[in-house]
RNA sequence: GCCUGGGUGGUGGAACUGGUAGACACGCAGGACUUAAAAUCCUGUGACCCUUAUCGGUCGUGCGGGUUCGAUUCCCGCCCCAGGUACCA
């Protein structure tokens, strides 16, 4: 029979499903191994060719580990809450649960066609109430906990309450919001509401004011993703920054542990580095500057307290809480105007734009704590409210941003660390001798930092402080399609619903839009009240809530009593190998580590790092196309003419575009809001712009794997995706070269067949060459899999098959092992040949991986490249038995080499055995 | 802007620890088989120069420097691209 991949693949996929071949047991004599993929968000566009890249790699690894004798847990599920489904619901009125189910079914079909060895009995969906009741349960634990900085862990809020009852909060060391001090008797005399308000300052899940992208026209908060250049992507309305009370999680309490934990996990350095930088630990001092004419002072955080005598002005974030109260009469209007201009900028814009320097004097002054000089207070949008204290002491001589600000506004620059030339630029290095600095003069930077902190602490106006860039995580979203937060309000105080009332199901609503007064969609739910009388919280959890602990649920996914049974948690323990995109480096991976540490603190887990080893697959990038909307209109201008207008670039679906030319009727049909679009064409055509960026539904550049499977089969797709290049490298999708991989599988098939495609295998002993070829491959494939270099394995398979073909080898002893070697990569063809070879169906998955025998590879000669001055000239085959001097003598006396020597005597001869000989003239 | 990664033939990539740059494929060109096509197989294929051809030479891993007998690999300074930048997932 010819290689009929579609028959073979369907047959074995059905076999695996029917026989539960890959079902993992929660106990076994074999050692355990947990291989996890980052589960997908089931988008409406279906699985795209980028998703399987990591899944194929992890599947190869999982299958390899089974062959190596492990009990492998390899599950899959869906991260099924999220914005796209909600946006689709807003556009069509279709309930997101319906579209999500459709999408999941489609994903499942697509995944099944690729032949993964998932244990589907453990499948989870984060939007399933049976799953999210436990996400809600975890939220309740967060609400019921506080972070004790003495014990460095989360503890029950009941412990805190009893401390308050007995001692007040004087001795409590906690990661908490600001709280006034109170005694035990005061606490006991507080009414319920006061007590609850105080506790909210300590809870790990707490309410706080946070800045959000507010779009007045849409009456809703927008994701950064939905804001383009200060306008909403939907509709093009202006967006501003607004404070809003929202649920937050005190992840910052874990900053130090999240940092330290990185030393204990086997992740790549770049990912660890990104997390370290994200957490951003910095040591310095908090310094209070007394406001002149006010009772308050302004606290700044500085990593360079040594430069305090160079502080010539303070800069506050425009939204700093003191700005309005300290601004003097003359400056009120200017400050207001500046605040408004800052409010329309996103934080990212403010950070990236270093060229435009802007700011405004407030009219207020503070007193320098040591020199007593009058220092002006400015506001400037390069200072962010969310970092440190939202205020900096500006030391223009030794900080480049302060320097630029001072130059621009003509503020004094005082050099306090010798070593630079401040007439040209600031001198930011932490090296040099202090000058112009009173009691710090003559000290070096390090000594000065120590000394100034000592003085500040003695004077009670400052203290040494460790600051983290990591901020608490906002946990509320003004959205419908997310986990309801299991909280109700009584007298405006939040309370948890009883845990026996979980799950708190998402209520039905008439529309998936905010209410007319800008309340989140859940506020539309009719008669939705706890115990029939209390209002529920109407925000929902963010997309990352469910994904922060899903790896635990797989261990015991059907459990209705607990999020997972303790024995299962103990047995499967950490994820041994986690594969996913590096775009999750600081989001998902940090949140999941946070949840893990929290559950560990509460005693539910006996490990506090979720993912032992992490491999980041690169992205299969998409090639996106763009249309250019003229701002404030529904008109779109061709790429080549866009400079003549003020435009916003919007993604056009690549399925509406061919050769970068827009198919206008397809485009109009792609979205209701494009139905009446008008176009400014160039020579009758609409040219789209393009960019290589990640493949995602939101970028409308998705390519599906289905047609590739129909044409070439899943085994070809699997091998081709691996063949594309190193797993961790990003690359744009293209199908050049898929033919070669497919041809390889056909050749592989032919090794087991005669010219007429009859299965034909030879029982005789193989040749030495055939053994050599096989064992070269065994060594290579094993090494490659262990270091996740799957692309090089594919090449090695090709080389081996080419060699065996040349040798006309069809010996069972070789070909049996070859099937096993290939099976993790191309499991369907391998199963079929395994069956043809006469072995029992399904046993391939758990047979033993071939053992490498080095004796087949021993060489007695090596063809040495001979270099003259580092440039390779010729090759000489020389016995590997010979030692350095004998080889050199042989080489120098060789006629071919003599030609290059031109009678000269070499200055030096470099000899590296088995590698190279270099003659230096 | 900041953090992280990447840049090698026409294309995807290989070179694992500083040791023959371009393995393995795709594409292209030529050939075999075929009435023809598909499929399959064979040969060639980094650029430039010399040569009738061989033989041979020079250059070449984003750009500019450096270390080294030897650099795609290490160091310094740039350029470009991608991911993240706290409400996309």
């Amino acid at each position: 029979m010819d290689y009929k991949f579609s028959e073979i693949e369907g047959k074995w996929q059905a076999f695996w499903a029917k026989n539960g071949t890959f079902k993992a047991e929660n106990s076994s004599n074999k050692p355990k191994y947990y291989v996890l993929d980052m589960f997908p968000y089931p988008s409406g566009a279906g699985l795209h060719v980028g998703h399987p890249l990591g899944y194929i790699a992890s599947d190869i690894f999982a299958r390899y580990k089974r062959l190596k004798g492990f009990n492998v847990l390899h599950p899959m599920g869906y991260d099924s809450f999220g914005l796209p489904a909600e946006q689709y619901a807003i556009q069509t009125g279709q309930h997101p649960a319906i579209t999500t189910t459709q999408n999941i079914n489609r994903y499942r079909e697509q995944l099944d066609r690729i032949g993964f060895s998932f244990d589907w009995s453990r499948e989870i969906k984060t939007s399933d109430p049976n799953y999210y009741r436990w996400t809600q349960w975890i939220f309740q634990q967060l609400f019921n906990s506080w972070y004790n900085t003495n014990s460095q862990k989360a503890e029950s809020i009941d412990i805190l309450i009893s401390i308050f009852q007995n001692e007040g909060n004087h001795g409590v060391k906690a990661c908490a919001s600001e709280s006034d001090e109170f005694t035990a008797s005061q606490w006991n005399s507080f009414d319920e509401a006061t007590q609850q308000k105080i506790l909210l300052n300590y809870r790990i899940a707490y309410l706080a004011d946070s800045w959000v992208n507010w779009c007045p026209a849409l009456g809703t908060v927008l994701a950064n993703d939905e804001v383009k250049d200060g306008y909403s992507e939907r509709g093009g309305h202006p967006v501003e920054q607004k404070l809003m009370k929202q649920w937050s999680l005190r992840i910052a309490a874990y900053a130090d542990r999240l940092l330290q934990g990185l030393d204990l996990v086997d992740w790549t350095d770049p990912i660890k580095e990104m997390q370290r930088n994200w957490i951003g630990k910095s040591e310095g001092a908090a310094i209070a500057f007394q406001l002149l004419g006010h009772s308050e002072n302004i606290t700044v955080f500085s990593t360079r307290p040594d430069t305090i005598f160079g502080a010539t002005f303070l800069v506050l974030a425009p939204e700093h809480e003191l700005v309005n109260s300290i601004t003097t009469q003359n400056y009120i209007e200017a400050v207001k105007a500046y605040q408004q201009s800052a409010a329309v900028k996103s934080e990212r814009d403010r950070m990236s734009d270093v060229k435009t320097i802007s700011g405004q004097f407030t009219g207020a002054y503070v007193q320098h704590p040591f020199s007593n000089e009058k220092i002006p207070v400015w506001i400037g949008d390069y200072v962010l409210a969310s970092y440190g204290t939202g205020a900096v002491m500006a030391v223009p001589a030794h900080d480049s941003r302060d320097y630029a600000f001072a130059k621009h506004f003509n503020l004094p620059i005082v050099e306090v660390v010798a070593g630079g030339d401040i007439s040209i630029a600031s001198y930011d290095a932490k090296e040099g001798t202090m000058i112009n600095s009173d009691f710090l003069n003559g000290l070096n930077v390090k000594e000065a930092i120590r000394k100034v902190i000592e003085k500040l602490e003695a004077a009670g106006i400052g203290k040494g402080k460790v600051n983290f860039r990591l901020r608490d995580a906002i946990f509320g979203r003004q959205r419908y399609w997310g986990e309801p937060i299991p909280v109700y309000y009584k007298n405006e105080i939040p309370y948890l619903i009883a845990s026996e009332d979980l799950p708190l199901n998402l209520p039905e609503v008439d529309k998936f839009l905010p209410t007319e007064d800008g309340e989140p969609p859940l506020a539309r739910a009719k008669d939705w009240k706890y115990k029939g009388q209390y209002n529920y919280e109407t925000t929902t959890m963010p997309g990352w809530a469910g994904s922060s602990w899903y790896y635990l649920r797989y261990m015991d996914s059907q459990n209705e009593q607990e999020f997972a049974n303790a024995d299962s948690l103990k047995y499967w323990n950490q994820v041994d190998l986690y594969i996913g995109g590096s775009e999750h480096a600081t989001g998902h991976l940090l949140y999941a580590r946070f949840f893990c540490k929290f559950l560990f603190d509460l005693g539910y887990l006996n490990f506090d790092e979720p993912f032992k080893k992490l491999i980041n697959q690169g992205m299969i990038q998409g090639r996106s196309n763009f249309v250019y909307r003229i701002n404030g209109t529904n008109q779109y201008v061709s790429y080549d003419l866009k400079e003549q207008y003020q435009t916003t670039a919007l993604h056009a679906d690549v399925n509406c575009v061919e050769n970068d030319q827009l198919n206008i009727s397809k485009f109009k049909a792609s979205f209701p809001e494009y139905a009446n679009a008008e176009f400014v064409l160039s020579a009758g055509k609409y040219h789209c712009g393009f960019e290589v960026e990640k493949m995602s539904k939101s970028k409308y550049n998705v390519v599906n794997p289905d047609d590739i499977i129909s044409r070439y089969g899943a085994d070809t797709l699997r091998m081709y995706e691996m063949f594309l290049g190193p797993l961790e490298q990003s690359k744009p999708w293209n199908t050049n070269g898929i033919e070669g991989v497919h041809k390889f599988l056909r050749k592989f098939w032919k090794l087991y067949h005669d010219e007429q495609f009859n299965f034909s295998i030879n029982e005789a002993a193989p040749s030495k060459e055939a053994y050599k070829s096989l064992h070269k491959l065994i060594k290579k494939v094993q090494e490659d899999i262990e270091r996740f270099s799957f692309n090089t394995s594919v090449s090695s398979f090709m080389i081996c098959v080419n060699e065996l073909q040349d040798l006309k080898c069809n010996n069972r002893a070789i070909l049996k092992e070859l099937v096993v070697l290939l099976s993790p990569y191309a499991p369907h063809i391998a199963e079929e040949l395994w069956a043809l070879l006469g072995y029992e169906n399904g046993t391939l998955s758990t047979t033993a991986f071939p053992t490498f025998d080095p004796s087949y590879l021993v060489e007695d000669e090596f063809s040495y490249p001979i270099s003259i001055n580092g440039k390779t000239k010729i090759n000489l085959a020389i016995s590997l038995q010979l030692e350095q001097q004998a080889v050199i003598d042989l080489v120098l006396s060789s006629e071919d080499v003599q030609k290059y020597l031109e009678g000269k005597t070499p200055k030096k001869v470099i000899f590296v055995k088995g590698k190279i000989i270099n003659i230096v003239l």
Side-chain angles (χ1 to χ4, degrees):
Chain A
M1 187 180 78
D2 198 355
Y3 171 44
K4 290 186 179 147
F5 54 82
S6 57
E7 266 174 43
I8 293 173
E9 292 178 356
K11 171 179 161 189
W12 290 103
Q13 284 161 12
F15 177 90
W16 297 327
K18 190 170 160 232
N19 293 279
T21 309
F22 306 115
K23 196 165 175 347
E25 298 302 332
N26 283 357
S27 65
S28 164
N29 300 328
K30 297 175 177 178
K32 72 99 191 183
Y33 201 90
Y34 186 179
V35 185
L36 182 65
D37 293 291
M38 288 186 186
F39 63 167
Y41 172 78
S43 90
L47 198 73
H48 64 67
V49 289
H51 286 114
L53 184 71
Y55 304 160
I56 293 165
S58 66
D59 197 59
I60 290 168
F61 204 81
R63 286 175 180 271
Y64 169 75
K65 278 290 177 183
R66 286 192 199 97
L67 294 175
K68 284 286 191 179
F70 286 81
N71 180 32
V72 174
L73 174 56
H74 187 39
M76 183 46 82
Y78 307 96
D79 188 14
S80 46
F81 274 131
L83 265 187
E86 180 156 340
Q87 260 170 5
Y88 189 72
I90 291 169
Q91 284 159 17
T92 63
Q94 178 96 279
H95 195 288
I98 296 170
T99 46
T100 299
T101 303
Q102 288 168 353
N103 293 348
I104 286 176
N105 291 340
R106 174 141 160 70
Y107 265 57
R108 178 62 191 273
E109 270 171 41
Q110 292 181 296
L111 288 169
D112 282 345
R113 289 190 70 190
I114 304 174
F116 293 121
S117 64
F118 292 131
D119 177 356
W120 282 110
S121 70
R122 295 168 185 261
E123 181 189 80
I124 57 169
K125 301 160 190 163
T126 56
S127 61
D128 181 343
N130 290 326
Y131 180 88
Y132 72 65
R133 69 168 288 175
W134 299 110
T135 311
Q136 292 173 330
W137 177 85
I138 291 172
F139 176 87
Q140 297 199 318
Q141 311 311 305
L142 290 160
F143 183 87
N144 276 332
S145 304
W146 64 295
Y147 197 86
N148 185 343
T149 30
N150 278 332
S151 61
Q152 274 298 319
K153 62 177 212 173
E155 294 176 2
S156 165
I157 200 85
D158 294 336
I159 294 173
L160 185 68
I161 293 171
S162 75
I163 296 173
F164 287 171
Q165 284 166 348
N166 296 315
E167 305 161 26
N169 71 347
H170 179 72
V172 171
K173 292 262 186 295
C175 273
S177 316
E178 291 280 306
S179 256
D180 292 335
E181 266 192 28
F182 52 81
T183 63
S185 59
Q186 280 174 312
W187 171 263
N188 294 321
S189 68
F190 290 150
D191 62 12
E192 155 93 11
T194 311
Q195 289 186 340
Q196 288 299 327
K197 272 184 196 154
I198 291 168
L199 287 176
L200 207 47
N201 288 336
Y202 289 86
R203 297 181 190 279
I204 292 180
Y206 66 105
L207 281 167
D209 284 322
S210 326
W211 293 96
V212 295
N213 299 312
W214 177 252
C215 180
L218 294 173
T220 190
V221 174
L222 295 177
N224 288 332
D225 222 41
E226 301 172 294
V227 183
K228 291 270 136 65
D229 308 322
Y231 292 87
S232 65
E233 188 158 45
R234 265 188 303 131
H237 308 291
V239 175
E240 61 191 47
Q241 303 299 303
K242 187 183 159 186
L243 264 189
M244 194 173 264
K245 188 149 272 197
Q246 306 221 71
W247 285 99
S248 290
L249 301 184
R250 261 180 240 286
I251 186 175
Y254 284 85
D256 230 347
R257 285 170 64 190
L258 288 167
L259 202 56
Q260 283 164 24
L262 289 173
D263 297 334
L264 306 171
V265 292
D266 182 9
W267 295 11
T268 58
D269 287 331
I271 292 287
K272 288 189 187 184
E273 197 58 21
M274 276 191 259
Q275 288 217 346
R276 285 193 192 103
N277 293 332
W278 184 261
I279 295 166
K281 184 176 185 171
S282 59
E283 292 177 41
I287 306 167
F289 286 79
Q290 183 57 52
L291 273 158
L292 294 171
H294 292 268
S295 58
E296 295 101 332
N297 52 46
I298 295 174
T299 303
V300 303
F301 173 79
S302 173
T303 55
R304 294 296 303 277
D306 55 305
T307 62
I308 191 164
F309 286 94
T312 52
F313 55 102
L314 293 198
V315 187
L316 309 188
E319 56 281 66
H320 191 284
E321 54 180 9
L322 284 174
V323 173
N324 292 336
S325 60
I326 65 172
T327 300
T328 59
Q329 201 61 40
N330 303 345
Y331 293 96
I332 287 178
E333 262 176 53
V335 164
K336 273 232 169 79
Y338 187 75
Q339 284 175 318
Q340 274 162 16
S341 73
V344 300
K345 285 195 210 169
S346 70
E347 199 169 82
R348 195 181 309 171
D349 288 341
R350 281 167 58 171
M351 280 190 293
S352 19
D353 186 5
V354 291
K355 288 188 188 110
T356 321
I357 292 151
S358 70
Q360 174 60 46
F361 180 45
T362 61
Y365 290 88
V366 291
Q367 189 176 35
H368 191 284
F370 296 118
S371 72
N372 294 333
E373 270 176 55
K374 235 174 120 182
I375 294 179
V377 180
W378 287 65
I379 56 174
D381 66 9
Y382 76 103
V383 179
L384 302 176
S386 53
Y387 183 72
T389 61
V392 303
M393 65 173 202
V395 183
H398 306 287
D399 178 284
S400 52
R401 297 291 308 256
D402 297 345
Y403 187 86
F405 195 89
K407 282 275 177 195
H408 188 260
F409 290 109
N410 238 330
L411 294 160
I413 299 172
V414 177
E415 182 179 32
V416 289
V417 185
D421 180 356
I422 61 154
S423 64
I424 303 166
S426 64
Y427 176 64
D428 298 8
K430 276 188 157 181
E431 278 170 17
T433 307
M434 305 306 301
I435 53 171
N436 301 325
S437 294
D438 192 0
F439 58 87
L440 297 175
N441 283 338
L443 300 177
N444 67 35
V445 168
K446 250 191 177 166
E447 295 162 344
I449 290 176
R450 207 176 315 125
K451 180 89 177 253
V452 79
I453 289 174
E454 223 170 79
K455 282 264 188 182
L456 287 165
E457 286 179 352
I461 48 172
K463 58 181 177 193
K465 198 185 163 194
V466 174
N467 190 54
F468 291 95
R469 203 182 74 100
L470 180 69
R471 314 201 284 252
D472 282 347
I474 302 172
F475 203 65
R477 299 287 183 267
Q478 330 291 307
R479 302 286 176 181
Y480 178 77
W481 192 231
E483 299 87 347
I485 293 176
V487 158
Y488 68 93
Y489 289 87
K490 191 164 82 182
N491 302 323
E492 295 179 25
I493 302 289
Y495 291 91
L496 291 181
I497 68 170
S499 55
E500 57 268 26
D501 292 329
L502 293 179
L504 172 59
N505 286 310
L506 259 177
E508 294 303 317
V509 292
D510 57 341
K511 279 189 219 163
F512 304 99
L513 288 169
T515 66
E516 277 67 37
D517 348 322
E519 290 285 307
L522 291 196
R524 293 177 171 272
K526 289 220 166 49
D527 307 321
W528 190 54
K529 292 197 188 289
Y530 188 53
K531 308 257 187 227
Q533 52 176 324
Y534 303 113
N535 283 332
Y536 281 115
E537 168 66 50
T538 54
T539 61
T540 51
M541 297 189 201
W544 51 269
S547 61
S548 294
W549 70 280
Y550 74 112
Y551 65 99
L552 298 171
R553 187 64 178 168
Y554 283 134
M555 298 178 189
D556 191 16
S557 68
Q558 306 305 316
N559 196 324
E560 293 187 358
Q561 313 307 318
E562 307 158 273
F563 70 92
N565 162 283
D567 288 338
S568 308
L569 290 167
K570 207 170 163 187
Y571 176 72
W572 289 112
N573 210 268
Q574 288 169 291
V575 173
D576 294 285
L577 175 65
Y578 194 28
I579 296 190
S582 61
E583 70 270 26
H584 300 285
T586 51
H588 161 63
L589 288 170
L590 202 61
Y591 295 130
R593 294 181 61 218
F594 161 48
F595 271 45
C596 180
K597 288 183 190 301
F598 172 73
L599 291 171
F600 170 81
D601 285 354
L602 266 51
Y604 290 105
L605 307 179
N606 59 351
F607 50 92
D608 79 338
E609 281 294 338
F611 314 120
K612 203 185 213 170
K613 183 172 182 67
L614 174 75
I615 296 286
N616 290 110
Q617 101 243 18
M619 254 176 303
I620 300 275
Q621 291 159 329
R623 195 173 179 281
S624 306
N625 281 109
F626 292 89
V627 293
Y628 300 88
R629 183 174 66 201
I630 300 172
N631 287 351
T633 72
N634 199 19
Q635 261 201 318
Y636 300 81
V637 56
S638 182
Y639 174 75
D640 41 323
L641 303 174
K642 76 183 173 77
E643 297 312 321
Q644 299 167 22
Y645 303 85
Q646 293 272 322
T647 60
T648 305
L650 299 172
H651 284 89
D653 193 318
V654 290
N655 298 304
C656 306
V657 180
E658 206 164 322
N659 291 330
D660 291 333
Q661 281 172 27
L662 189 69
N663 180 324
I664 287 174
S665 55
K666 269 194 188 172
F667 177 72
K668 282 184 165 180
S670 70
F671 259 105
E673 64 178 277
Y674 293 149
N676 300 313
E678 291 165 33
F679 300 88
V680 180
L681 302 178
S682 159
K685 284 175 178 158
Y686 190 100
H687 299 284
C688 295
F690 75 90
E691 241 174 75
V692 171
E693 54 185 358
K694 72 175 176 176
M695 196 178 281
S696 92
K697 167 125 202 263
S698 66
K699 306 202 184 298
Y700 302 102
N701 58 4
V702 171
V703 179
N704 289 313
D706 303 42
D707 50 337
I708 291 166
I709 293 179
S710 312
R711 259 183 90 180
Y712 300 104
D715 284 337
T716 298
L717 174 75
R718 290 171 65 106
M719 294 202 84
Y720 181 61
E721 292 228 8
M722 293 300 98
F723 189 62
L724 269 179
L727 182 62
E728 65 279 8
Q729 226 167 71
S730 297
K731 48 240 160 188
W733 177 256
N734 74 88
T735 40
N736 297 350
I738 196 164
E739 292 281 350
V741 173
H742 188 63
K743 247 191 260 177
F744 157 75
L745 285 174
R746 296 177 60 89
K747 277 192 213 171
F748 188 88
W749 181 258
K750 277 191 73 179
L751 281 181
Y752 299 75
H753 292 81
D754 63 21
E755 291 299 313
Q756 285 74 46
F757 281 108
N758 297 308
F759 180 76
S760 155
I761 203 87
N762 181 344
E763 303 291 340
S767 68
K768 208 178 148 198
E769 287 77 18
Y771 270 123
K772 184 176 172 186
S773 188
L774 175 71
H775 280 266
K776 228 167 48 183
L777 184 67
I778 295 172
K779 179 169 190 284
K780 180 81 171 133
V781 168
Q782 173 152 336
E783 283 172 0
D784 283 351
I785 294 180
E786 302 269 1
R787 67 188 171 103
F788 306 96
S789 173
F790 303 104
N791 56 322
T792 48
S793 284
V794 178
S795 301
S796 307
F797 279 121
M798 289 174 172
I799 292 168
C800 179
V801 165
N802 288 345
E803 283 172 357
L804 294 179
Q805 189 181 257
D806 289 346
L807 292 168
K808 303 204 188 318
C809 166
N810 73 334
N811 308 94
R812 173 180 294 269
I814 301 290
L815 296 188
K816 179 199 170 188
E817 305 272 63
L818 196 57
V819 165
V820 182
L821 282 178
L822 188 73
S823 66
Y825 289 80
H828 308 90
I829 192 174
E831 287 274 16
E832 183 68 17
L833 291 170
W834 186 252
L836 286 171
L837 284 163
Y839 304 104
E840 194 189 331
N841 284 352
T843 54
L844 175 61
S845 300
T846 48
T847 189
F849 194 82
T851 313
F852 169 59
D853 182 347
S855 67
Y856 289 111
L857 303 194
V858 175
E859 301 272 358
D860 42 2
E861 249 189 16
F862 177 73
S863 175
Y864 278 94
I866 314 294
S867 307
I868 311 289
N869 290 334
K871 288 186 199 272
T872 308
K873 297 293 179 187
I874 52 167
N875 284 285
L876 283 181
I878 298 170
S879 163
L880 282 163
Q881 306 300 314
L882 293 182
E883 288 309 318
Q884 174 154 352
Q885 200 50 53
V887 175
I888 290 174
D889 291 346
L890 196 75
V891 167
L892 291 182
S893 60
S894 134
E895 250 176 65
D896 292 324
V897 174
Q898 291 282 328
K899 210 164 57 188
Y900 289 102
L901 295 182
E902 295 167 342
K904 291 180 211 155
T905 313
K907 285 192 192 126
K908 201 171 171 187
V909 181
I910 311 282
F911 172 76
V912 183
K913 192 163 184 182
K915 292 267 185 197
I916 199 168
I917 293 157
N918 185 18
I919 300 165
V920 186
L921 288 180

